[in-house]
Amino acid sequence: GIDRPRGVPASKASYYKPGETFKCITDGKTIPFEYINDDYCDCDDGSDEPGTSACPMMMFYCENKGHKPEYILSSRYNDGICDCCDGSDEFGGEKIQCQNFCEEIGRKDREDRERLILLQTEGFKVKLSYIQLGQSLQQEKKARLTEIASEKDTYEKLKTDLEAKKNEAEAPEKEAKEKHEKAWEEEKEKKKAVKERETALMAFDEIDANDDQHVEIHEMLLHPEFDIDSDGTVSHDEAKEYLEELERAGQDEFLEKIWPNIKEIFKSKKFSDDVKEVETTESTTEQKEPEVKPQPKRDNWAKHEYGDDDDEDEEEDDEELEDEDYDATTPPPPVEEVPEDKMPDYDEETQKLIDAAEQARNEFNDADRKVKDTENEINTVRQYLDIDFGPEFEYGSLKGQCFEMTDREYTYKLCPFDKASQRPKNGGSETSLGNWGHWSGSEADKYSAMKYEKGQNCWSGPDRSVEVILQCGTENLLLSASEPSRCEYRFDFATPARCIDPATLQPSPKDTHDEL
Amino acid sequence: VQRDNFKTCEQSSFCKRQRAYQPAQSPYVALEDSLKITSNTIDIQLLNKDNNVRFLLTIFGLQDNMFRIKMNELSPIKERYEIPVGDALKEEPAQQKINFAGKDKDKFVIKMSNHKLLLSLSPFRIDAYTDETPVMSLNSQGLLKFEQMRIKPEAKPPADDSADENGEEANPQEAVENQEEKVKEEKKEDETGMWEETFKTFTDSKPHGPSSIGIDVSFPGFENVYGIPEHADTMALKTTKSTDPYRLFNLDVFEYDLYNPMALYGAVPLMYAHNEDRTVGIFWHNAAETWIDISSNTADKSVFSHIADFVKGNNEIPQTDTHWFSESGVIDVFLLLGPTPRDVFKQYSRLTGTTQLPPLYSLAYHQCRWNYNDQDDVKAVDANFDKFDIPFDVIWLDIEHTDGKKYFTWAHDKFPTPEEMIKNLSVKGRKLVTIVDPHLKREDGYSVYTDARDRGFLIKNKDGNDYEGWCWPGSSSWPDFTNPVVREWWADKFALSEYKGSTPDLIVWNDMNEPSVFNGPEITFHKDVKHYNNFENRDLHNIYGMYVHQATMEGLVKRSGGKERSFVLTRAFFAGSQRYSAVWTGDNIGEWSHLKVSIPMVLSLNLAGITFSGADVGGFFKNPDPELLTRWYQTGAFYPFFRAHAHLDTRRREPYLLPEENIKIVREALRLRYSLLPYYYTLFYQAEEDGLPIFRPLWVDYPKDKDVFKIDDQFLIGSSLLVKPVTDQGQTNVNVYFPGKDNVWYDIDTYQTYDGSMTINVPAPLDKIPVYQKGGSIIARKLRPRRSSSLMYQDPFTLIVCLDKQGKAEGELYVDDYHSFQYKNGDYIHRQFIFNKNTLSSKNIDPKGQFNTREWIEKIIIVGFPNEPKKITIANSSGENSRILGFQYNENNKSLTIRKPGDNIADIWTLVIV
């Protein structure tokens, strides 16, 4: 209770001893004592005007009896607004009469504080179990990692063994199969030669119009396919050319010398049904560019096309556009293979070898899959272990869970350490708002916020992202979702993992920034 | 911009016809016999010899050195549109006696004080002289072309037409009677687009046919012309030889391009010509679509045969020729004869009025975004500004605040208790702006619409049904603001009882009032829609937007029973808009080039009387990086209208979201603006009387310095501050031109001095705005930072006295209650401070004003004071109560800081330095 100038806290009262002069606190300048709080700034540090607005960077101290003392910017002193609960910042009194409501807000503040402590206490209890769970999950995962690594070793060894066995079984299998297939090939060749001869003989008979068992020039003239220069008639020379300069040829000569040269061009009238023309399977129609309709560009309309369902419209447009891509001319179905004679089944001996090899292959594949499965699991576990679940792993148990809330239009979903999304309340597809990125709290309090990023892209804007602001709660609850900036979302999420030990909180609403 | 949405001159049939008109000799002659002289006017008939149509030309002498020249058809078959007096013209201009001094050769001589007009009879032309120096001439190039109203000719087979034309050309000698002559002339004209015109998919029905008017105006001896906003172009207008003419046609242009003559949101058909000897201007009183061609014998590097004969053989004299043409209406040209810059601004302000002194908060900083999402968002932004100790006065709500884009309503889920939201702002002296656009959603449950519909207040299409177009709400209709009764009806919608959720602290923003019609030709009305008195939009398009914001402002003033000044922002404007609203330069882009062009754009608006104007800080579209945003705040802090705005698709960019270093710089820029509010307020008070630009080109104050005529990257605020903002990325030095041969300029941060008539390269790191106070000036500032301007109203002043080379300085300060119309009843203080011979005195320069205030003088800083004084005393008017004042002298920058005079701002005192 010493007398001190307006706006000065007790802790600073010693600087302001009434007397002839006053020494500015930091710059050491000396001024008459009556210059203190005379509404003119003399000291560079502002210390001569603790209770006026004359020094812009000064702080005004309100005692706020019944609540807690605080400093306000001296520019808020005597500006017509009651900033301190005791009203001491409005000294002029012309513009405004401030009420002292420190008792009231002090009480409320204490109540709030008690509620907060209660919440933290309750939440912290849960958090302890989360820590335990998180840590045991860590242990579990680490243990599992060791375990699975050894499993992987086992499977890899097994795989190596089985691969050898497989190779062993496959060698005789291959030999037997090849033998069988080669025999079949030879059989096919024979059949083909016979068929070729039949065709040739039929052609011979057909050309040999007078049935004298010789093909002669004048008989050749009747077959327009021998018209080499395409002048419409088969000339004597042309016929002779095909007859290999002979006047006439008997059956053997025909088969040996002439048929090989004409078989590609000879067109049987009789057997035209049998002779397959080689069709070109290539489509003659050029592949057309899918016609892209000009998108209605965002010109003047753009400004007008906005709104909550705008993105969805855009996306639909995009999809339509993509669909049109698929609308390209479909190629004609492949021409059916001419059914060949079927290869006869393997003999019993060969089949046995095949069965044995097949079994070895299956066993090998099983082992291989197991190796891959264990590799995948190792990756998953490693990924989990790479995530920062908080200093005490208190967030570890949140992974794998999802939390939802619904507002006027959307249901928002948060799957911690995984992803965030929204979907329209009235149905419709889910939009990704982002995937787990990193902790994004301030340097001093890194675990106060999470960032989910690289969600679905916004038209002419960024990829969607979410900042999740965490607060202490007795249970996990997605409290609210908003979009403060286009496509940059904010979730508020309550979780026991964010609660702090109430022991560190214990109330002492003491003035903590008591300095100039 | 998507250019093909907007017409080129070639695509506008009247523009094409007028631009192509190049007769060997003007066919218009004045008929001597028809001359009628009264004391203030002269009437004479004109005849177009090509078609025998007669016109009436009236010349008025006007007070303040102006002539008005009006020309209309003598007996039009349909009344031609004239803008009603009281709309663009604030009242019937006061006339002045003129002397008809008889005939000199074939010219009539009309005198008015030291000015005269020479009216040549055949061909008709008018030359204006001041003190025997030619300053302007009309029709000296013979481009006068006045398309008379006519009956639509019977359609003929097109083959006939061309045969006729060919025939005529083949037989030019053929004798014809007058009657036939007329027919011939009409046929000779290119009739394409005269009776119907198509642009893209839009057809303009043109029921009244061609009606355009045009005339050339030459400025002999002038190289530089300015004005005719709004264009995204340099301040000094450019020749249009190789481009389209400058176009005036109010349009909603998406992502507008820079440095071209395309039309934008507003139109002021006012042009000034300036040279070292004089300034003159012309005001083209016409609200139809208008194009202006500019050519210059110096800029175009060729000498025109049309150079006026008074050039007397010296064809090296520079001359700017302009050619004005409008789609309809009458020729109504005001010749503003100057001769000084101050004179032309006064002349124009006598015609169309000045900006009423705005309430102080509207000169402070405005925080806008499309959109602040809900009440909590508004609350959070308000709280964050305080948390980061950044001042602001007004927060704005864009279209999303409404229920389905129905203006005067609220989206109740987001804004359930608007009154409470506004109260949370107004306790800190802050205001809320809501947007109110002129398009009305056509919805049966929307009473503003149904009311307008049922009363027949909606604009009609050519068939007489309510016009329908698309805008924000979808299908919309527009009230016909050209009807005074509709304006009154609209004004009443702002009554607190009508506009639910509004309070006296809610003010209004009119956007889209060109108007913007998404599915209309050139994104606006069809030209054949019908307005009041059966005129078409073609006749008055450019003034529609002004009627919207005029009615809005009248509503807001009416709401307070006529007691409170209010605030409206508009995007569309016309000559006279300055009387009602502030204007911003529309939807700019967050790019350096748009920051740079904002300076010439705001300069041009200020020249055209629209002093209360600015560009969106940060740029509406796209995301400016911190450097650009910071530089934009540093520039914007000097726009008379200072608002940040951002598109819905942009990231949040309230200044407190910037990196810490940038926050600090932006906070300083804002505090600088707030500290200068008394200066801005005083300038606005003065401008209400004299119409001077506030954001001012250098040539206004340095009219004889040729080097400043084209400078549009630096500017003056009033006469006392020179500003050269940094508008280039990464720039940390700028060249500043310091005008005035005998001047000295003081850096306002360091008091470093710079001599006039020099260009100096000065450092300008990111935290520096190059701003200089003129030696010889005194500026009263308020240096205590507060959260909003209204919280500063009792704060003390600091006088910054910057001495000139003779050790003199003077300045003015205007003070009132900062918000009401009581100043009109004498509740104000208008002080003058004079420093001379080491004595500073405060005088009352307007004894009519009396006002009680607690504002006082806390400090006086005298800069450029040569050495440390011995003693400083202050005494009241009668020399009593003499007190000795403390002081500090800074040898380094020659500044003398005088401690706490303490006098009330209304006191008369004298301070003596020994």
Side-chain angles (χ1 to χ4, degrees), chain A residues 410-424:
Chain A
Y410 292 101
T411 295
Y412 295 90
K413 186 157 88 175
L414 174 67
C415 306
F417 306 103
D418 187 6
K419 62 181 186 176
S421 60
Q422 73 172 23
R423 59 174 191 277

Side-chain angles (χ1 to χ4, degrees), chain A residues 29 35 38-42 48-49 52-57 73-81 83 89 92-95 297-308 310 408 459-462 483-486 488, chain B residues 2 5-6 252-254 369-370 373 386-387 389 399-400 405 413-414 427-428 472 511-512 518-519 523 571 587 620-621 647-652 671 783-787 791 793-794 854 856 858-859 888 897-900:
Chain A
K29 194 161 111 185
Y35 280 10
D38 74 338
D39 211 7
Y40 185 88
C41 192
D42 291 287
D48 63 313
E49 298 296 319
T52 76
S53 60
C55 298
M57 297 323 288
L73 293 166
S74 63
S75 64
R76 296 183 184 180
Y77 175 81
N78 256 5
D79 67 351
I81 301 171
D83 291 282
D89 59 313
E94 191 219 87
K95 278 187 273 190
K297 280 291 169 232
R298 293 211 161 210
D299 53 24
N300 247 340
W301 294 85
K303 211 178 125 180
H304 325 135
E305 291 175 15
Y306 67 87
D308 290 326
D310 176 47
R408 290 192 301 269
W459 177 82
S460 98
E483 189 183 357
S485 237
R486 191 117 176 100
E488 292 176 8
Chain B
Q2 199 166 342
N5 273 343
F6 303 102
D252 179 3
V253 183
F254 179 78
R369 177 179 176 82
W370 175 26
N373 301 329
D386 288 346
K387 181 178 163 196
D389 200 21
I399 51 177
E400 310 302 322
K405 318 298 183 303
D413 48 352
K414 300 179 202 162
V427 292
K428 281 180 276 191
W472 297 128
D511 195 0
M512 315 297 279
F518 296 163
N519 59 341
I523 328 291
R571 193 170 70 183
D587 298 345
F620 179 60
F621 298 110
H647 188 276
L648 187 72
D649 284 335
T650 61
R651 284 197 287 279
R652 284 287 175 126
R671 284 186 175 173
L783 295 174
R784 298 190 184 186
R786 301 288 196 182
R787 281 170 279 191
L791 302 184
Y793 91 106
Q794 291 189 335
R854 286 162 57 119
W856 53 286
E858 69 172 325
K859 192 186 287 185
Q888 266 188 307
T897 303
I898 300 172
R899 188 183 192 284
K900 205 182 176 190

Side-chain angles (χ1 to χ4, degrees), chain B residues 813-832:
Chain B
L813 175 66
Y814 171 83
V815 169
D816 63 14
D817 67 9
Y818 300 120
H819 62 83
S820 80
F821 281 114
Q822 274 303 105
Y823 77 108
K824 299 272 190 194
N825 302 325
D827 289 1
Y828 63 87
I829 298 163
H830 194 178
R831 310 295 303 176
Q832 186 183 36

